[in-house]
Amino acid sequence: MKKWVIKKVEQVNQNLHKNRIINALLNSRGISQPKEALDFLNPKIENLFNPYLLKDMDRAVERIDLAIKKREKIVIYGDYDVDGITSTSILIRAFRKLGVDVSFYIPDRLNEGYGINKDAIDYIKQLATDLIITVDCGITAVEEVEYVKELGMDIIITDHHECKDVIPNTYVINPKRHDCTYPNKNLAGCGVAFKLVQALWMRYNLSGFEEFLDLCAIGTIADIVEITGENRIIVSQGLKKLQYSEKCGIKALKSVAGISEVTSYGIAFQIAPRINAVGRLSDARIAVELFTTTDEDKAMQIAKYLDQENRSRQKIEEEILNESLIMIQNNFDLTKDRVIVLSSPFWHVGVVGIVASRLVERFHRPVILLCEDKDGLCKGSGRSIEGFNLFENLLKCDDILVKFGGHELAAGLTIEKSKISELIARLNEYAKEMDVEMFLPKLYIDLEMSSEDITFETAEEIKKLEPYGFGNPSPIFYMENLKVLSKRAVGSNNKHLKLILDKDNITYDGVYFNGYEELKDKEWDNIDVVFNLDINEWNNTKNLQLLIKAVRPHSRWVSEYFKSNYYRYLKFMDNNKLSYCNLDGINFIPKNENFLKEFVYFKKGYILVSSKKSLDELKYFIDFYKINFSKNDGFDAQFIVCPYVDEIDFMNSEVLIYDFLPGIYEYEKVLNSAKKVYNFYEEETLDLIDDFFEDIKINKEILFKVYNDLLYNELIGTIDELSVKYNINPYQMYKIIMTLKNSEVAKVFIKNDLLKLVKFKSEFENITVDDYNKKIEDLKKLFNKLKWEV
């Protein structure tokens, strides 16, 4: 489960939109002016920036113009991912329209790797090339550019990656150049290529540069750049072009992917993986052929091949994932290791990045997967979490790396196999400097909604925020304390859950995809939900629908549930067993919030709680960690309230006693079955023990009053009702009833939750009362001693 975090939205301008929700969402996306809001909600082609604002764009266009006039040979040097493939395809199609003699080159991922290399330059020279134009690469190729010039060729770099202090000495178009003032620093590689085409069309006074937006939208979405500003225009208009595109490659790809309505989601999860697959497993050039061919039969043939390669990629990915999980289980201690680095000679370098992403999602810590070759070198990819800058931390390890590159959340690297253990040790040390909170998975929520906010008008306005993507995610909302009226399984294999919910006497339909297993056994009357707001159309009828992303019991319901059930479960701690064992093996430490969070987030073991007052302190964790009474039911339930230590399987894990256990006997049982035992201690611990004792001891005056009442009348009621009658807690009422029953003073009849007590004998002096004094006194002696030692 994830911690729910509602974003703090600074309401810079409350007059951007008449709808409160839309206004807040615009503010959260950094929009503060009405003109910005209007442009965001209505992305138009005419609002694209002038391409000549890019540094060196004028020089590059002049050089290309010279090449066209002199009928020179141009080669596009691309990259093997979707961004590189679409960038290459954009320029190929554009230059063909301009009548240019153009070819392209994309390096092989396995044998050449990313970027420009000298062998490729030699090959390109043999094609009688005059001008090389890179796309999505080249910004760090200082030596290679000089080599190109030595061979008598010119080169134009178009790229969008981070620049080093020194850039190649040639024509360089990159919005991230330190001396470039272009307003959009977040263009994808295909976006830079598109701006070059836009500039050329302006140079020659041509119309129709918009036709390249379909390919540019695919690359922009796939490269996970921010879908804001100019990128939003590119994607929004590009999706429209894609919907009705006549490019036979795009039509074929949509057909094999089964896409009828093109969305950013469909591009990201259906189109892009098929394009990426050939670059990962075989030859990316075939994808360029798909996007540049005018032969429909050939396009369909290639699209089917891409689909087949994607299936192969999925199979390989699953195999690597399963092997990785086994290696993690056998070689890593996830209660301590904060960074995972794995290597194998059998993995495919083109797929390990995807698997690393899946492992990050599962374990929420940085992951690097490496492919070993026969020469002792390992090449691979890493993915990270927010707060751990992978590029910067690899930079600290520069002395043991052959090469590396990337950014905060993703990187590629090459390292000698013998240095992997040192890399693991160093990265783990750097990770320990992070706030432990960073390792907690979080679900970020845009806004809390009220009943008044959930309207058809709001749902329709929200649609204007599309297309969604990085920087402009689909808005996620939160609503609390909805009453569950009904729930039922729906869909294939009953995987999904249909919920009818009520809030302020308004009924809502909710659908929780793949949520049936999670909630089928939960008896939650009131819940909080995280959702997307949607309009469901069925049989010409429109209904508002909550597309539920996450569910938790409402905090007030949780609090009442634990407090009301606390006394019911005290009976499982009910024993007078004494012990005088040596407790030196227990690590008594002052209560420490960071220690607690690390214990929880890294799932080091179980946390035992005996005091009812401690439950209020643990509300922070109730949101996202399972809490059980009495026993464990698997490792997911880390918190155990009123622990019945005789029946708990600690699975040789660590144990943190949050406050105290009810006696030395319980300490002995835990000590003998846990891997390591910690116990928080603070000045108030003795007071908590006193309060606990007051909760469990039987007041003989009340016992006598109950006995006296039985002499004249039967007692009928539930435990709760009887405890209210005698002004004691339910556990004490239960103990009094059991004491009377066991002493044969009363007979007890039970029907459902209703009890009937009937007098059986009248000898009060025969009643034996459990006495916890000795057990509690031994416990207090232990903590009194600690008071002077800790």
Side-chain angles (χ1 to χ4, degrees):
M1 295 177 71
K2 297 181 179 180
K3 178 69 180 176
W4 295 9
V5 179
I6 300 179
K7 299 174 186 176
K8 294 180 179 178
V9 179
E10 185 180 355
Q11 295 284 1
V12 179
N13 188 336
Q14 297 188 30
N15 300 307
L16 298 177
H17 197 280
K18 62 180 181 180
N19 186 291
R20 179 188 82 87
I21 296 297
I22 306 302
N23 197 95
L25 290 171
L26 290 169
N27 273 286
S28 72
R29 282 149 177 75
I31 297 168
S32 59
Q33 300 302 319
K35 175 67 166 59
E36 288 181 279
L38 186 64
D39 290 345
F40 185 89
L41 296 173
N42 301 278
K44 297 178 181 179
I45 291 174
E46 50 264 36
N47 289 334
L48 290 171
F49 295 121
N50 187 324
Y52 286 98
L53 294 175
L54 281 158
K55 181 75 173 178
D56 272 7
M57 180 62 82
D58 53 348
R59 296 177 63 219
V61 168
E62 288 295 332
R63 180 62 188 90
I64 293 169
D65 181 58
L66 180 63
I68 294 173
K69 288 175 179 176
K70 295 176 65 176
R71 304 187 67 81
E72 290 181 336
K73 171 78 172 181
I74 298 178
V75 171
I76 313 302
Y77 194 113
D79 185 29
Y80 39 67
D81 67 359
V82 180
D83 192 13
I85 289 167
T86 52
S87 301
T88 304
S89 302
I90 286 169
L91 290 193
I92 292 290
R93 296 186 71 100
F95 283 131
R96 284 179 182 172
K97 278 186 171 291
L98 296 175
V100 175
D101 180 10
V102 62
S103 299
F104 70 94
Y105 184 91
I106 293 181
D108 180 87
R109 180 191 286 264
L110 296 179
N111 300 315
E112 297 176 80
Y114 172 78
I116 309 171
N117 66 82
K118 290 184 177 180
D119 289 339
I121 295 169
D122 289 336
Y123 171 77
I124 291 170
K125 175 62 178 176
Q126 292 174 10
L127 301 177
T129 302
D130 300 290
L131 175 63
I132 299 173
I133 303 176
T134 75
V135 289
D136 194 31
C137 64
I139 194 61
T140 60
V142 175
E143 292 182 11
E144 290 81 1
V145 164
E146 292 305 312
Y147 185 63
V148 168
K149 293 193 289 187
E150 287 173 17
L151 294 180
M153 296 181 287
D154 283 339
I155 182 168
I156 296 171
I157 303 292
T158 77
D159 201 352
H160 72 122
H161 292 100
E162 296 293 337
C163 305
K164 293 186 177 179
D165 292 337
V166 178
I167 64 173
N169 182 21
T170 187
Y171 315 94
V172 177
I173 305 171
N174 185 335
K176 290 191 174 73
R177 280 183 63 162
H178 307 302
D179 55 352
C180 180
T181 58
Y182 191 71
N184 180 13
K185 298 292 183 182
N186 295 312
L187 283 170
C190 60
V192 180
F194 172 76
K195 299 305 291 187
L196 177 58
V197 174
Q198 186 186 2
L200 286 167
W201 259 235
M202 290 172 67
R203 170 63 180 256
Y204 300 123
N205 198 26
L206 299 172
S207 61
F209 70 88
E210 303 91 351
E211 72 171 271
F212 302 100
L213 282 169
D214 48 9
L215 291 173
C216 195
I218 293 173
T220 300
I221 292 169
D223 214 51
I224 320 179
V225 294
E226 288 193 7
I227 310 299
T228 56
E230 187 175 41
N231 288 347
R232 178 170 168 79
I233 299 172
I234 289 170
V235 172
S236 178
Q237 296 298 323
L239 288 174
K240 293 176 182 177
K241 297 285 183 186
L242 281 163
Q243 185 67 41
Y244 304 106
S245 178
E246 288 301 314
K247 294 183 178 74
C248 54
I250 289 176
K251 287 164 63 178
L253 201 52
K254 284 165 58 180
S255 176
V256 297
I259 292 177
S260 56
E261 182 177 354
V262 181
T263 63
S264 54
Y265 180 89
I267 297 298
F269 295 99
Q270 294 173 286
I271 295 292
R274 287 172 167 83
I275 305 169
N276 249 331
V278 284
R280 294 182 183 281
L281 302 184
S282 52
D283 189 346
R285 290 178 296 181
I286 195 169
V288 177
E289 292 289 347
L290 172 71
F291 289 131
T292 56
T293 185
T294 56
D295 185 327
E296 291 196 355
D297 291 337
K298 181 180 180 181
M300 182 55 71
Q301 186 179 1
I302 295 174
K304 288 179 178 178
Y305 175 72
L306 264 58
D307 188 60
Q308 178 183 326
E309 286 291 272
N310 189 49
R311 294 179 193 277
S312 298
R313 187 268 307 167
Q314 290 171 332
K315 183 179 179 183
I316 294 169
E317 179 186 327
E318 207 61 36
E319 290 171 354
I320 296 175
L321 177 65
N322 292 333
E323 289 174 22
S324 298
L325 291 173
I326 293 171
M327 293 168 72
I328 290 169
Q329 183 177 1
N330 293 338
N331 302 311
F332 283 81
D333 181 354
L334 295 180
T335 66
K336 297 177 181 176
D337 296 315
R338 302 191 179 193
V339 178
I340 297 170
V341 182
L342 305 172
S343 70
S344 170
F346 307 110
W347 292 345
H348 197 296
V349 72
V351 179
V352 290
I354 305 173
V355 179
S357 295
R358 292 180 65 180
L359 292 172
V360 169
E361 179 66 25
R362 180 174 295 208
F363 297 110
H364 201 70
R365 64 198 73 199
V367 176
I368 295 173
L369 298 187
L370 299 164
C371 306
E372 305 167 12
D373 67 19
K374 58 185 178 182
D375 299 320
L377 281 180
C378 300
K379 184 187 297 183
S381 297
R383 300 292 184 269
S384 193
I385 59 174
E386 181 184 354
F388 187 85
N389 190 311
L390 191 55
F391 179 82
E392 288 185 1
N393 283 292
L394 287 174
L395 188 60
K396 297 175 187 175
C397 305
D398 187 33
D399 57 309
I400 60 171
L401 299 175
V402 176
K403 65 177 183 177
F404 73 98
H407 49 84
E408 181 180 357
L409 297 179
L413 67 153
T414 303
I415 185 174
E416 295 175 10
K417 184 178 179 181
S418 59
K419 301 287 179 63
I420 292 177
S421 58
E422 185 176 352
L423 179 67
I424 294 172
R426 285 206 208 176
L427 291 178
N428 269 291
E429 283 303 310
Y430 302 147
K432 287 177 183 176
E433 298 171 5
M434 290 174 59
D435 184 343
V436 69
E437 196 84 16
M438 295 295 183
F439 293 93
L440 173 65
K442 298 178 181 69
L443 175 60
Y444 289 101
I445 300 163
D446 286 281
L447 295 166
E448 181 176 357
M449 271 192 168
S450 65
S451 302
E452 292 78 17
D453 295 321
I454 300 182
T455 65
F456 280 101
E457 179 192 2
T458 299
E460 292 288 357
E461 291 294 331
I462 287 171
K463 287 182 178 293
K464 293 180 181 178
L465 299 177
E466 298 176 0
Y468 301 129
F470 182 63
N472 181 39
S474 176
I476 295 179
F477 304 107
Y478 162 77
M479 185 180 282
E480 67 172 22
N481 199 17
L482 290 98
K483 185 173 181 59
V484 180
L485 300 181
S486 70
K487 60 181 181 181
R488 60 185 174 88
V490 295
S492 59
N493 301 319
N494 288 330
K495 292 191 303 183
H496 314 309
L497 194 67
K498 175 78 171 178
L499 293 151
I500 305 298
L501 306 168
D502 175 83
K503 172 82 171 180
D504 300 329
N505 295 318
I506 300 174
T507 302
Y508 300 100
D509 288 341
V511 178
Y512 191 6
F513 290 106
N514 299 309
Y516 177 72
E517 283 298 319
E518 179 186 340
L519 296 184
K520 66 176 181 180
D521 297 324
K522 300 293 190 299
E523 298 178 0
W524 296 339
D525 297 325
N526 295 76
I527 60 174
D528 303 335
V529 296
V530 174
F531 61 94
N532 298 127
L533 184 60
D534 186 46
I535 297 175
N536 181 41
E537 295 188 37
W538 180 254
N539 289 336
N540 296 319
T541 302
K542 291 184 177 183
N543 289 306
L544 284 171
Q545 184 172 250
L546 310 185
L547 299 180
I548 296 173
K549 302 296 180 184
V551 172
R552 70 183 181 194
H554 181 53
S555 57
R556 195 187 315 146
W557 185 90
V558 169
S559 179
E560 291 171 358
Y561 175 82
F562 279 116
K563 287 184 177 178
S564 63
N565 281 279
Y566 175 80
Y567 292 111
R568 297 180 186 275
Y569 284 90
L570 273 178
K571 62 186 178 184
F572 291 111
M573 303 170 71
D574 182 6
N575 67 72
N576 281 318
K577 297 175 183 177
L578 300 176
S579 177
Y580 301 95
C581 74
N582 187 337
L583 300 181
D584 291 342
I586 296 176
N587 299 280
F588 288 94
I589 58 176
K591 186 181 287 186
N592 183 299
E593 184 179 351
N594 286 332
F595 183 93
L596 174 64
K597 287 182 177 180
E598 183 166 331
F599 198 94
V600 173
Y601 301 163
F602 289 98
K603 295 191 174 182
K604 291 179 179 289
Y606 293 100
I607 299 166
L608 308 184
V609 182
S610 296
S611 167
K612 183 176 70 171
K613 287 187 177 180
S614 296
L615 290 174
D616 288 329
E617 298 175 19
L618 296 175
K619 281 181 181 177
Y620 178 85
F621 300 101
I622 287 174
D623 287 356
F624 54 95
Y625 277 99
K626 195 173 177 183
I627 298 181
N628 261 21
F629 277 112
S630 180
K631 306 176 191 177
N632 56 334
D633 63 351
F635 198 66
D636 283 342
Q638 285 185 267
F639 291 89
I640 304 177
V641 180
C642 301
Y644 182 20
V645 295
D646 287 327
E647 294 293 327
I648 298 176
D649 178 7
F650 290 107
M651 302 167 67
N652 196 33
S653 63
E654 295 185 8
V655 170
L656 170 61
I657 301 165
Y658 186 79
D659 37 37
F660 60 87
L661 294 178
I664 307 301
Y665 166 79
E666 283 79 4
Y667 275 95
E668 180 182 19
K669 293 291 291 185
V670 173
L671 194 58
N672 290 336
S673 57
K675 179 180 178 181
K676 198 169 187 177
V677 182
Y678 301 92
N679 199 141
F680 276 165
Y681 176 77
E682 58 182 344
E683 289 291 330
E684 291 74 24
T685 304
L686 288 168
D687 294 333
L688 293 178
I689 293 172
D690 285 337
D691 291 340
F692 177 78
F693 182 51
E694 289 300 315
D695 277 341
I696 64 171
K697 73 177 183 181
I698 295 178
N699 186 310
K700 290 187 179 180
E701 291 181 5
I702 302 295
L703 175 64
F704 180 74
K705 180 169 177 30
V706 174
Y707 166 78
N708 198 50
D709 288 348
L710 271 177
L711 293 177
Y712 304 101
N713 296 293
E714 297 175 347
L715 290 179
I716 299 175
T718 64
I719 290 281
D720 288 338
E721 289 168 346
L722 293 173
S723 64
V724 170
K725 175 181 172 69
Y726 291 102
N727 196 28
I728 55 178
N729 68 55
Y731 171 76
Q732 291 169 323
M733 192 69 241
Y734 160 80
K735 285 297 296 180
I736 286 175
I737 292 170
M738 294 306 295
T739 299
L740 294 172
K741 178 178 181 293
N742 294 334
S743 301
E744 297 185 340
V745 171
K747 284 189 175 182
V748 181
F749 301 93
I750 304 174
K751 185 174 182 180
N752 297 325
D753 289 334
L754 199 65
L755 302 175
K756 181 166 77 169
L757 277 69
V758 180
K759 182 189 72 173
F760 182 57
K761 291 182 179 178
S762 302
E763 296 83 3
F764 183 77
E765 61 273 9
N766 292 334
I767 296 177
T768 303
V769 180
D770 288 334
D771 187 1
Y772 296 102
N773 279 294
K774 174 61 176 165
K775 188 173 182 180
I776 295 297
E777 284 305 312
D778 286 346
L779 184 64
K780 290 181 69 173
K781 284 178 185 177
L782 168 68
F783 279 94
N784 261 316
K785 182 182 177 184
L786 286 169
K787 184 175 181 179
W788 303 106
E789 291 182 353
V790 176

